[in-house]
Amino acid sequence: DTEVTQTPKHLVMGMTNKKSLKCEQHMGHRAMYWYKQKAKKPPELMFVYSYEKLSINESVPSRFSPECPNSSLLNLHLHALQPEDSALYLCASSQEQGDYGYTFGSGTRLTVV
Amino acid sequence: GNSVTQMEGPVTLSEEAFLTINCTYTATGYPSLFWYVQYPGEGLQLLLKATKADDKGSNKGFEATYRKETTSFHLEKGSVQVSDSAVYFCALSAGRTNAGKSTFGDGTTLTVKP
């Protein structure tokens, strides 16, 4: 299994809703990442987990809350988002946190209304 | 800090044309270099990588050589197909000097016409 699986593929939520994005990989990778990508832009790093511990938080607003329940799963909990948070949210994994290159999921297209 | 500069797009080519997408970088230490491809509506896919000077990464007919003297990692393909139409991102990862974070270029959109 050489994939990163993200669900849901599309999500529309209101500004008062709470929702979660899910990411799963079974490659034995020990580093997992959340990225945000706006249209026609490169991905922007949000969070890094290494060995199930939060390693990097790129000063992301608290309305985004990551969670790593085990070495295969990564969640991103969303609450009280703003319309400007609408974007493609990408999960990625790598063998370790370092120079290994990422395996990306297909992303969740999030629209905040 | 680290940075990646890609040639500006969009790039439009006819099928079977030769492709070059330029990428230059600035980094401390000895970074690893990557090319990712993003097809419409999808996530990024790792296309190829090189981890040290003079390494050549290759995959699916694409090649790139890590040139330390010119700090470059240009992407090339001898004969493009319509199916190669996508956005291409050059990236670097400088390991422990940057907590393993990757730095991406702005991306270059390639359109191949039949």
Side-chain angles (χ1 to χ4, degrees), chain A residues 6 33 35 37 40-45 48 55-56 58 88 90 95 97-107 109, chain B residues 30-32 34 36 38 41-46 49 51 89 93-96 98-102 104-107 109:
Chain A
Q6 289 188 244
Y33 310 78
Y35 276 87
Q37 187 180 28
K40 300 189 185 299
K41 296 291 187 182
E44 301 171 30
L45 183 64
V48 181
S55 173
I56 296 174
E58 291 287 85
L88 180 67
L90 294 165
Q95 186 176 333
Q97 184 177 344
D99 302 342
Y100 298 94
Y102 300 156
T103 302
F104 280 89
S106 295
R109 178 75 59 187
Chain B
Y30 302 94
S32 293
F34 308 89
Y36 291 88
Q38 186 172 29
E42 297 187 12
L44 281 71
Q45 298 177 25
L46 180 61
K49 67 178 182 182
T51 59
F89 292 97
S93 181
R96 294 179 181 178
N98 198 30
K101 295 188 288 187
S102 284
F104 288 86
D106 286 340
T109 300

Coordinates of all heavy atoms in Angstrom, one line a residue, chain A residues 6 33 35 37 40-45 48 55-56 58 88 90 95 97-107 109, chain B residues 30-32 34 36 38 41-46 49 51 89 93-96 98-102 104-107 109:
Chain A
Q6 N -7.3 10.4 2.0 CA -8.0 11.5 2.7 C -9.5 11.4 2.5 O -10.0 11.2 1.4 CB -7.4 12.8 2.2 CG -6.0 13.1 2.6 CD -5.6 14.6 2.2 OE1 -4.8 14.8 1.4 NE2 -6.3 15.5 2.9
Y33 N 2.0 15.1 7.8 CA 2.0 16.6 7.6 C 0.6 17.0 7.2 O -0.1 16.3 6.4 CB 2.9 17.0 6.5 CG 4.3 16.5 6.6 CD1 4.6 15.2 6.2 CD2 5.4 17.3 7.0 CE1 5.9 14.7 6.3 CE2 6.7 16.8 7.1 CZ 6.9 15.5 6.8 OH 8.2 15.0 6.9
Y35 N -1.0 20.3 5.0 CA -0.7 21.4 4.2 C -2.0 22.1 3.7 O -3.0 21.4 3.6 CB 0.1 21.0 2.9 CG 1.6 20.9 3.1 CD1 2.1 19.7 3.5 CD2 2.4 22.0 2.8 CE1 3.5 19.6 3.6 CE2 3.8 21.8 2.9 CZ 4.3 20.6 3.3 OH 5.7 20.5 3.5
Q37 N -3.5 24.5 0.6 CA -3.1 25.0 -0.8 C -4.2 25.8 -1.3 O -5.3 25.3 -1.5 CB -2.8 23.8 -1.7 CG -2.2 24.3 -3.0 CD -1.9 23.2 -4.0 OE1 -2.5 22.1 -3.9 NE2 -0.9 23.4 -4.9
K40 N -3.7 27.9 -7.5 CA -2.5 28.4 -8.3 C -1.4 28.8 -7.4 O -0.6 29.7 -7.8 CB -2.9 29.5 -9.2 CG -4.0 29.2 -10.2 CD -4.2 30.3 -11.2 CE -5.4 29.9 -12.2 NZ -5.1 28.7 -12.9
K41 N -1.3 28.2 -6.2 CA -0.2 28.5 -5.3 C 0.4 27.2 -4.8 O -0.2 26.1 -4.9 CB -0.8 29.3 -4.0 CG -1.3 30.6 -4.3 CD -0.2 31.6 -4.7 CE -0.8 33.0 -4.9 NZ 0.3 34.0 -5.3
P42 N 1.7 27.3 -4.3 CA 2.3 26.1 -3.7 C 1.6 25.8 -2.4 O 1.0 26.6 -1.7 CB 3.7 26.5 -3.5 CG 3.7 28.0 -3.4 CD 2.6 28.4 -4.3
P43 N 1.8 24.5 -1.9 CA 1.2 24.2 -0.6 C 2.0 24.9 0.5 O 3.2 25.1 0.4 CB 1.4 22.7 -0.5 CG 2.4 22.3 -1.5 CD 2.4 23.4 -2.6
E44 N 1.2 25.2 1.6 CA 1.8 25.9 2.7 C 1.7 24.9 3.9 O 0.6 24.4 4.3 CB 1.0 27.2 3.1 CG 0.9 28.2 2.0 CD -0.1 29.3 2.4 OE1 -0.3 29.6 3.6 OE2 -0.7 29.9 1.5
L45 N 2.8 24.8 4.6 CA 2.9 23.8 5.7 C 2.1 24.4 6.9 O 2.2 25.6 7.2 CB 4.3 23.6 6.2 CG 4.5 22.6 7.3 CD1 4.1 21.2 6.9 CD2 6.0 22.7 7.7
V48 N 3.3 19.4 11.5 CA 4.1 18.2 11.3 C 4.0 17.4 12.5 O 4.2 17.9 13.6 CB 5.6 18.5 11.0 CG1 6.4 17.2 10.7 CG2 5.8 19.4 9.8
S55 N 5.5 18.1 16.1 CA 6.8 18.6 15.9 C 6.9 20.1 15.5 O 7.7 20.8 15.9 CB 7.5 17.7 14.9 OG 8.8 18.2 14.6
I56 N 6.0 20.4 14.6 CA 6.0 21.8 14.0 C 4.5 22.3 13.9 O 3.7 21.6 13.4 CB 6.6 21.8 12.6 CG1 8.1 21.5 12.7 CG2 6.5 23.2 12.0 CD1 8.8 21.4 11.3
E58 N 3.1 25.8 12.4 CA 3.5 27.0 11.7 C 2.6 28.1 12.0 O 2.0 28.8 11.2 CB 3.5 26.7 10.2 CG 4.6 25.8 9.7 CD 6.0 26.4 9.8 OE1 6.6 26.4 10.8 OE2 6.4 26.9 8.7
L88 N -7.7 23.8 -0.6 CA -7.5 22.4 -0.7 C -6.5 22.0 0.5 O -5.5 22.6 0.7 CB -6.8 22.0 -2.0 CG -6.5 20.5 -2.2 CD1 -7.8 19.7 -2.4 CD2 -5.6 20.4 -3.5
L90 N -4.2 19.3 2.2 CA -3.5 18.1 1.8 C -2.8 17.5 3.0 O -2.2 18.2 3.8 CB -2.4 18.5 0.7 CG -2.9 19.0 -0.6 CD1 -1.8 19.7 -1.4 CD2 -3.5 17.8 -1.4
Q95 N 9.0 9.0 5.2 CA 9.6 7.9 6.0 C 10.0 8.4 7.4 O 9.7 7.8 8.4 CB 10.8 7.4 5.3 CG 11.6 6.3 5.9 CD 12.7 5.8 5.0 OE1 12.7 6.0 3.8 NE2 13.7 5.2 5.6
Q97 N 10.9 12.6 9.4 CA 10.9 14.0 9.2 C 12.3 14.4 8.7 O 13.3 14.3 9.4 CB 10.6 14.7 10.5 CG 10.5 16.2 10.3 CD 10.1 16.9 11.6 OE1 9.6 16.3 12.6 NE2 10.3 18.2 11.7
G98 N 12.4 14.7 7.4 CA 13.7 15.0 6.9 C 13.7 15.1 5.4 O 12.7 15.6 4.8
D99 N 14.7 14.6 4.7 CA 14.9 14.8 3.3 C 14.4 13.6 2.5 O 15.0 13.3 1.5 CB 16.4 15.0 3.0 CG 17.0 16.2 3.8 OD1 16.2 17.0 4.3 OD2 18.2 16.2 3.9
Y100 N 13.3 13.1 2.8 CA 12.9 11.8 2.1 C 11.9 12.0 1.0 O 11.6 11.1 0.3 CB 12.3 10.8 3.2 CG 13.4 10.5 4.2 CD1 13.5 11.2 5.4 CD2 14.3 9.4 4.0 CE1 14.4 10.8 6.4 CE2 15.2 9.1 4.9 CZ 15.3 9.8 6.1 OH 16.2 9.5 7.0
G101 N 11.3 13.2 0.9 CA 10.3 13.3 -0.1 C 8.9 12.9 0.5 O 8.9 12.0 1.3
Y102 N 7.9 13.5 0.0 CA 6.5 13.3 0.6 C 5.7 12.4 -0.3 O 5.8 12.5 -1.5 CB 5.8 14.6 0.8 CG 6.4 15.6 1.7 CD1 6.1 16.9 1.6 CD2 7.3 15.2 2.7 CE1 6.7 17.9 2.4 CE2 7.9 16.1 3.6 CZ 7.6 17.5 3.4 OH 8.1 18.4 4.3
T103 N 4.8 11.6 0.3 CA 3.7 11.0 -0.4 C 2.4 11.8 0.0 O 2.1 11.9 1.2 CB 3.5 9.5 0.0 OG1 4.7 8.8 -0.4 CG2 2.3 8.9 -0.8
F104 N 1.8 12.4 -1.0 CA 0.6 13.2 -0.7 C -0.7 12.5 -0.9 O -0.8 11.6 -1.8 CB 0.6 14.5 -1.6 CG 1.5 15.6 -1.2 CD1 2.8 15.6 -1.6 CD2 1.0 16.6 -0.4 CE1 3.6 16.7 -1.2 CE2 1.8 17.7 0.0 CZ 3.1 17.7 -0.4
G105 N -1.7 12.8 -0.1 CA -3.1 12.4 -0.5 C -3.7 13.3 -1.5 O -3.1 14.3 -2.0
S106 N -4.9 12.9 -2.0 CA -5.6 13.7 -3.0 C -6.2 15.0 -2.5 O -6.6 15.8 -3.3 CB -6.6 12.9 -3.7 OG -6.0 11.8 -4.4
G107 N -6.3 15.1 -1.2 CA -6.8 16.3 -0.6 C -8.2 16.4 -0.3 O -9.0 15.6 -0.8
R109 N -11.2 19.2 -0.5 CA -11.6 20.5 -1.0 C -12.6 21.1 0.0 O -13.7 20.7 0.0 CB -12.2 20.5 -2.4 CG -12.6 21.8 -3.0 CD -11.5 22.7 -3.4 NE -10.7 22.0 -4.4 CZ -9.5 22.6 -4.9 NH1 -9.1 23.7 -4.4 NH2 -8.8 22.0 -5.8
Chain B
Y30 N 23.3 21.1 2.8 CA 23.3 20.3 1.6 C 21.9 19.8 1.4 O 21.6 18.7 1.9 CB 24.3 19.2 1.8 CG 25.7 19.7 2.0 CD1 26.3 19.9 3.3 CD2 26.5 20.1 0.9 CE1 27.5 20.4 3.5 CE2 27.8 20.6 1.1 CZ 28.3 20.8 2.4 OH 29.5 21.3 2.6
P31 N 21.1 20.5 0.7 CA 19.7 20.1 0.6 C 19.4 18.9 -0.3 O 20.3 18.6 -1.2 CB 19.0 21.3 0.0 CG 20.0 22.0 -0.8 CD 21.3 21.7 0.0
S32 N 18.3 18.2 -0.1 CA 17.8 17.3 -1.1 C 16.8 18.1 -2.0 O 16.2 19.0 -1.5 CB 17.1 16.1 -0.4 OG 18.0 15.3 0.3
F34 N 13.7 18.0 -5.1 CA 12.6 17.3 -5.5 C 11.8 18.0 -6.6 O 11.8 19.2 -6.7 CB 11.6 17.0 -4.4 CG 12.2 16.5 -3.1 CD1 12.7 17.3 -2.2 CD2 12.3 15.1 -2.9 CE1 13.3 16.8 -1.0 CE2 12.9 14.6 -1.8 CZ 13.4 15.5 -0.8
Y36 N 7.8 17.7 -7.9 CA 6.5 17.2 -7.7 C 5.6 17.6 -8.9 O 5.8 18.7 -9.4 CB 5.8 17.7 -6.4 CG 6.4 17.2 -5.1 CD1 7.5 17.9 -4.5 CD2 6.0 16.1 -4.5 CE1 8.1 17.4 -3.4 CE2 6.6 15.6 -3.3 CZ 7.6 16.3 -2.8 OH 8.2 15.9 -1.6
Q38 N 1.4 18.0 -10.0 CA 0.0 18.0 -9.5 C -0.9 18.1 -10.7 O -1.0 19.1 -11.5 CB -0.2 19.2 -8.6 CG -1.6 19.3 -8.0 CD -1.7 20.4 -6.9 OE1 -1.1 21.4 -7.0 NE2 -2.6 20.1 -5.9
G41 N -7.2 18.7 -10.0 CA -8.1 18.1 -9.0 C -7.4 17.1 -8.1 O -8.1 16.4 -7.4
E42 N -6.1 17.0 -8.1 CA -5.4 16.0 -7.3 C -4.4 16.6 -6.4 O -4.1 17.8 -6.4 CB -4.8 15.0 -8.2 CG -5.7 14.2 -9.1 CD -5.0 13.1 -9.9 OE1 -3.9 12.8 -9.6 OE2 -5.7 12.6 -10.8
G43 N -3.8 15.7 -5.5 CA -2.7 16.2 -4.7 C -1.4 16.1 -5.5 O -1.4 15.8 -6.6
L44 N -0.3 16.5 -4.8 CA 1.0 16.4 -5.4 C 1.5 15.0 -5.4 O 1.3 14.2 -4.5 CB 2.0 17.3 -4.7 CG 1.9 18.8 -4.9 CD1 0.6 19.4 -4.3 CD2 3.1 19.5 -4.4
Q45 N 2.3 14.7 -6.5 CA 2.9 13.4 -6.5 C 4.4 13.6 -6.7 O 4.9 14.5 -7.5 CB 2.5 12.6 -7.8 CG 1.0 12.2 -7.8 CD 0.6 11.5 -9.1 OE1 1.5 10.9 -9.7 NE2 -0.6 11.6 -9.5
L46 N 5.2 12.9 -5.9 CA 6.7 13.0 -6.1 C 7.1 12.4 -7.4 O 6.8 11.3 -7.7 CB 7.3 12.2 -4.9 CG 8.9 12.2 -4.9 CD1 9.4 13.7 -4.8 CD2 9.4 11.4 -3.8
K49 N 13.7 12.8 -7.4 CA 14.5 13.5 -6.4 C 15.9 13.2 -6.6 O 16.3 12.3 -7.3 CB 14.0 13.0 -5.0 CG 14.4 11.6 -4.7 CD 13.9 11.2 -3.3 CE 14.3 9.8 -2.9 NZ 13.9 9.4 -1.5
T51 N 19.6 13.6 -4.0 CA 20.0 13.9 -2.6 C 21.4 14.5 -2.5 O 21.8 15.0 -1.4 CB 19.9 12.7 -1.7 OG1 20.7 11.6 -2.3 CG2 18.4 12.2 -1.7
F89 N 6.1 21.5 -9.5 CA 6.7 22.2 -8.3 C 8.1 21.6 -8.1 O 8.3 20.4 -7.9 CB 5.9 22.0 -7.1 CG 4.5 22.7 -7.1 CD1 3.4 21.9 -7.4 CD2 4.4 24.0 -6.8 CE1 2.1 22.5 -7.4 CE2 3.1 24.6 -6.7 CZ 2.0 23.9 -7.1
S93 N 14.5 20.2 0.5 CA 14.4 19.9 2.0 C 15.9 20.0 2.5 O 16.7 19.3 2.0 CB 13.8 18.6 2.2 OG 13.7 18.3 3.6
A94 N 16.1 20.8 3.5 CA 17.4 21.0 4.0 C 17.6 20.3 5.4 O 18.5 20.7 6.2 CB 17.7 22.5 4.1
G95 N 16.9 19.3 5.6 CA 17.2 18.4 6.7 C 17.2 19.1 8.0 O 16.3 19.9 8.3
R96 N 18.2 18.9 8.8 CA 18.2 19.4 10.2 C 18.4 20.9 10.2 O 18.1 21.5 11.3 CB 19.3 18.7 11.0 CG 19.0 17.2 11.1 CD 20.1 16.5 11.9 NE 19.8 15.1 12.0 CZ 20.6 14.2 12.6 NH1 21.8 14.6 13.1 NH2 20.3 12.9 12.7
N98 N 16.6 22.9 8.8 CA 15.3 23.6 8.7 C 14.2 22.7 9.2 O 13.1 22.7 8.7 CB 15.0 23.9 7.2 CG 13.9 25.0 7.1 OD1 13.7 25.8 7.9 ND2 13.2 24.9 6.0
A99 N 14.6 21.9 10.2 CA 13.7 21.0 10.9 C 13.0 20.0 9.9 O 11.9 19.6 10.1 CB 12.6 21.8 11.6
G100 N 13.6 19.8 8.8 CA 13.1 18.8 7.8 C 11.9 19.4 7.0 O 11.3 18.7 6.2
K101 N 11.7 20.7 7.1 CA 10.6 21.3 6.3 C 11.0 21.5 4.8 O 12.2 21.8 4.5 CB 10.2 22.6 6.9 CG 9.6 22.6 8.3 CD 9.1 23.9 8.7 CE 10.1 24.9 9.0 NZ 9.6 26.1 9.6
S102 N 10.0 21.3 4.0 CA 10.3 21.5 2.5 C 10.0 22.9 2.1 O 9.0 23.5 2.7 CB 9.5 20.5 1.7 OG 10.1 19.2 1.8
F104 N 8.9 25.0 -1.2 CA 8.4 24.8 -2.6 C 8.6 26.1 -3.5 O 8.4 27.2 -3.0 CB 6.9 24.5 -2.6 CG 6.6 23.1 -2.0 CD1 6.5 22.9 -0.7 CD2 6.4 22.0 -2.9 CE1 6.2 21.6 -0.2 CE2 6.2 20.8 -2.4 CZ 6.0 20.6 -1.0
G105 N 8.8 25.9 -4.7 CA 8.7 26.9 -5.7 C 7.2 27.3 -6.0 O 6.3 26.6 -5.5
D106 N 7.0 28.3 -6.8 CA 5.6 28.8 -7.0 C 4.9 27.9 -8.0 O 3.7 28.0 -8.1 CB 5.6 30.2 -7.5 CG 6.0 31.2 -6.5 OD1 5.8 30.9 -5.3 OD2 6.4 32.3 -6.8
G107 N 5.5 26.9 -8.6 CA 4.9 26.1 -9.6 C 4.9 26.6 -11.0 O 4.8 27.8 -11.2
T109 N 2.9 25.9 -14.6 CA 1.8 25.2 -15.3 C 2.2 24.8 -16.7 O 2.6 25.7 -17.5 CB 0.5 26.0 -15.3 OG1 0.1 26.3 -14.0 CG2 -0.6 25.3 -16.0

